[in-house]
Amino acid sequence: MQLSGTNLLSLTATDLRDMLDQGAITSKILIQSYLNHISAHNRQGMGLRAIIDVAPEANILKLAEELDFERQAGKSRGPFHGVPLVIKDTINTDSKLGMDTTLGSYALRGARPPGNSRVVQAEFGSNKSPDFVAGFSPVGGQTRSAYIERGDLATFPENHESPMGSSSGSAVAVSAGFSPWSIGAETNGSLNSPASRASLYALKPTVGSVSDDGVFKLTDAFDSLGAMAKCVDDLAALTEILLSTVPGRLPPSKISDGALRQKIKGLRLGFVDADQWLLPESILKADESYLKQRRAHYQQAINRMKNSGAMIIHPLDLRQASEYTFEGQSAYSLIRYGQWPALARKYLSTLLNTNIRSLEDIIAFSEENPDLECYPEAPDQQSLIKALKQNTSPELLARAVTAMRKAAADDGLGKAIDDHKLDALIAPTDSDISTVAALAGYPIGTMPLGYLEPSGRPHGLSVLAKADCEKNILEVMRAWEASGFERRLPPPLVKQLTGDLDSSAL
């Protein structure tokens, strides 16, 4: 018996693992259930466009059947044997799986990676999500939030309906029940922001702690793959897998299967002043209603943690992202655009069956094929052009990265953590705190905070810790989850699946 769409909205990877272990379901039935649900609401139904590509049904069902036979023979590949996964379309998958790796662009349609990325070798993925700013890509179209009614878009303040960030497909896929969990990527907020708008738990680990073999990225200094999930147990398990993918790196301390404490009591947490930490107006226009609700939810979180026994430092004073400069210009922009062209050439040189080898080639393809690559959501290529025009020397970039690690980590976030003996720092996810974390190379996660009216759009709290302290972040999340916060399933999708006019109560 297949699982219904309403089941898939709430079931976690841990739930599915237990069902598979108990023989209550098979991987083949599980995969067929997900494929049916994706077919009903990815490009049809709610038209979420969270999935850019799915392995051919015959191939994936055959693989699921093989996994079922292995399980019956006692040859499990790991604790989540046979549980599906969505990955971002910047992560290589072997062409034998039957999926392209396009980065969301028609310029790379038909290009073939040399094989699976190391992350995919560690954990099988069956679906791929788009990769473009705010969830748009030429190949995948515009990803939509499962929490927002389509007919109401014009009534919301600008950009409140956006799924937010280039890993939004990975986020919406989980919130919509297309997968129990997913892997996205983040340079600056592109994993955590969409996860917060999908009411998920997510974590970008310490820069350099997850393998980037077979992954397209913008920078060496800021980028990392990371996990998204509906619950902290799932997030910890997938993060543990990711942290085991760098050859020769010491294995992480145990963070899954009950290794996290669940009580807030005893935690030392520093909260920034929420009114001082906002997104730039070019990204999100903050009206008074939004600010009032945001302020109230933030204070409620502080009160809940304080009443549960945490030691709270509030407000914690930190340097704003805009204050981090190098030789008179934005340090973040200098490094982000400066490292991109060389890394693009390095990645594209590994692909087979394509003539696209550089950002210049991508720009030229787009100019020659405007009907394929240029849409109202992405009318130009200014970001790529800016990267090429910057033409920063490797020596200058290296000095900038070194200077920012000291300024943002040693003298910034790290100093605040040490001075106040904090387990973690907390800020609104709707802010540029992710920029400071990127400059420091520190891990940063997000956890659900609440839902904004009238849209119902979720928002979250960012949790930061020092390098290689992912366990601290996960313990704060686990304590928050255990304190009684309940995720709301996306009411518009619940309504379509059940016809329940009172689905907002879910």
Side-chain angles (χ1 to χ4, degrees):
M1 178 179 174
Q2 290 185 26
L3 297 172
S4 68
T6 50
N7 293 143
L8 298 177
L9 280 178
S10 57
L11 285 169
T12 67
T14 301
D15 293 333
L16 296 175
R17 177 197 64 188
D18 294 344
M19 292 171 68
L20 287 165
D21 287 347
Q22 295 161 10
I25 196 170
T26 65
S27 291
K28 185 175 182 179
I29 291 175
L30 178 60
I31 295 298
Q32 187 65 70
S33 300
Y34 276 111
L35 291 176
N36 291 345
H37 187 48
I38 291 168
S39 177
H41 288 286
N42 190 51
R43 292 185 179 270
Q44 301 180 34
M46 283 199 69
L48 298 174
R49 293 181 176 266
I51 302 294
I52 201 170
D53 203 1
V54 180
E57 185 167 329
N59 293 5
I60 195 171
L61 290 177
K62 183 175 184 296
L63 177 56
E65 197 168 51
E66 291 172 1
L67 293 172
D68 285 331
F69 287 143
E70 289 178 9
R71 181 183 293 277
Q72 292 168 10
K75 297 179 180 179
S76 176
R77 302 184 188 186
F80 292 93
H81 181 99
V83 176
L85 173 74
V86 162
I87 61 173
K88 188 174 180 178
D89 192 30
T90 55
I91 304 170
N92 286 354
T93 52
D94 194 300
S95 57
K96 293 176 184 176
L97 286 176
M99 295 183 289
D100 285 338
T101 303
T102 67
L103 317 184
S105 173
Y106 282 103
L108 293 178
R109 261 290 168 92
R112 289 188 289 113
N116 283 327
S117 66
R118 188 168 281 116
V119 164
V120 171
Q121 290 172 347
E123 188 72 23
F124 172 72
S126 62
N127 306 314
K128 303 188 86 169
S129 62
D131 163 54
F132 256 71
V133 175
F136 173 81
S137 75
V139 174
Q142 178 62 59
T143 300
R144 306 286 188 184
S145 169
Y147 285 85
I148 306 295
E149 291 276 11
R150 298 281 74 76
D152 294 341
L153 293 185
T155 67
F156 305 153
E158 187 174 341
N159 291 337
H160 278 271
E161 77 281 1
S162 168
M164 203 72 165
S166 64
S167 292
S168 59
S170 298
V172 172
V174 177
S175 69
F178 293 170
S179 172
W181 52 9
S182 66
I183 296 175
E186 175 161 320
T187 305
N188 171 19
S190 44
L191 178 139
N192 279 287
S193 288
S196 75
R197 292 192 172 208
S199 196
L200 300 177
Y201 294 89
L203 177 56
K204 172 194 179 184
T206 304
V207 174
S209 65
V210 178
S211 174
D212 59 7
D213 171 69
V215 178
F216 179 82
K217 59 182 183 176
L218 302 186
T219 74
D220 283 324
F222 305 148
D223 288 43
S224 180
L225 298 182
M228 305 184 196
K230 301 170 199 170
C231 70
V232 181
D233 284 346
D234 283 7
L235 182 64
L238 190 49
T239 298
E240 195 168 82
I241 292 169
L242 291 174
L243 290 174
S244 68
T245 57
V246 177
R249 198 173 193 271
L250 290 175
S253 61
K254 190 70 174 175
I255 56 176
S256 64
D257 291 331
L260 304 175
R261 65 177 176 183
Q262 300 187 25
K263 293 184 178 180
I264 293 176
K265 187 175 182 179
L267 290 172
R268 291 182 61 89
L269 306 174
F271 282 76
V272 304
D273 183 343
D275 289 339
Q276 299 299 315
W277 286 84
L278 300 164
L279 285 169
E281 277 215 351
S282 59
I283 298 177
L284 180 69
K285 290 188 176 178
D287 65 359
E288 189 53 42
S289 173
Y290 162 74
L291 291 173
K292 183 177 179 180
Q293 293 180 71
R294 180 183 192 260
R295 193 178 297 122
H297 293 169
Y298 193 74
Q299 188 60 52
Q300 288 166 11
I302 292 173
N303 293 343
R304 174 181 288 188
M305 292 188 176
K306 184 183 293 185
N307 293 338
S308 298
M311 174 65 72
I312 304 296
I313 309 299
H314 176 251
L316 187 70
D317 188 34
L318 296 175
R319 287 174 64 186
Q320 294 284 333
S322 59
E323 297 177 41
Y324 289 94
T325 59
F326 186 77
E327 296 192 356
Q329 57 183 308
S330 162
Y332 173 76
S333 292
L334 173 70
I335 298 167
R336 181 223 195 269
Y337 290 104
Q339 291 191 338
W340 192 6
L343 288 173
R345 287 193 296 272
K346 180 180 177 182
Y347 172 82
L348 294 169
S349 71
T350 67
L351 301 182
L352 308 173
N353 198 39
T354 181
N355 294 320
I356 303 296
R357 299 299 178 195
S358 65
L359 292 185
E360 291 93 336
D361 291 343
I362 294 175
I363 291 171
F365 179 90
S366 298
E367 290 175 344
E368 293 166 7
N369 299 274
D371 55 324
L372 292 177
E373 293 287 294
C374 298
Y375 291 79
E377 295 92 339
D380 55 43
Q381 305 179 83
Q382 290 308 308
S383 186
L384 280 71
I385 293 169
K386 180 177 179 179
L388 291 176
K389 284 184 175 180
Q390 189 163 293
N391 195 27
T392 310
S393 71
E395 294 76 20
L396 180 62
L397 289 169
R399 286 194 288 115
V401 171
T402 299
M404 287 307 105
R405 288 294 192 260
K406 184 177 188 304
D410 300 344
D411 301 336
L413 299 175
K415 187 175 187 302
I417 290 170
D418 290 342
D419 286 352
H420 296 284
K421 297 181 174 57
L422 299 176
D423 293 294
L425 298 169
I426 297 180
T429 304
D430 277 1
S431 73
D432 55 4
I433 192 68
S434 60
T435 306
V436 185
L439 290 167
Y442 278 3
I444 179 171
T446 188
M447 57 189 189
L449 173 60
Y451 304 87
L452 300 165
E453 299 301 335
S455 66
R457 192 263 283 182
H459 66 138
L461 288 174
S462 286
V463 188
L464 298 80
K466 296 178 73 172
D468 299 315
C469 290
E470 286 80 9
K471 187 173 183 179
N472 287 28
I473 294 173
L474 289 163
E475 287 195 326
V476 172
M477 292 180 176
R478 188 69 187 89
W480 173 252
E481 185 181 53
S483 75
F485 181 86
E486 294 185 13
R487 282 188 68 247
R488 180 187 298 176
L489 301 181
L493 186 51
V494 171
K495 187 184 297 185
Q496 286 214 13
L497 292 171
T498 67
D500 180 5
L501 297 179
D502 192 33
S503 61
S504 60
L506 295 173

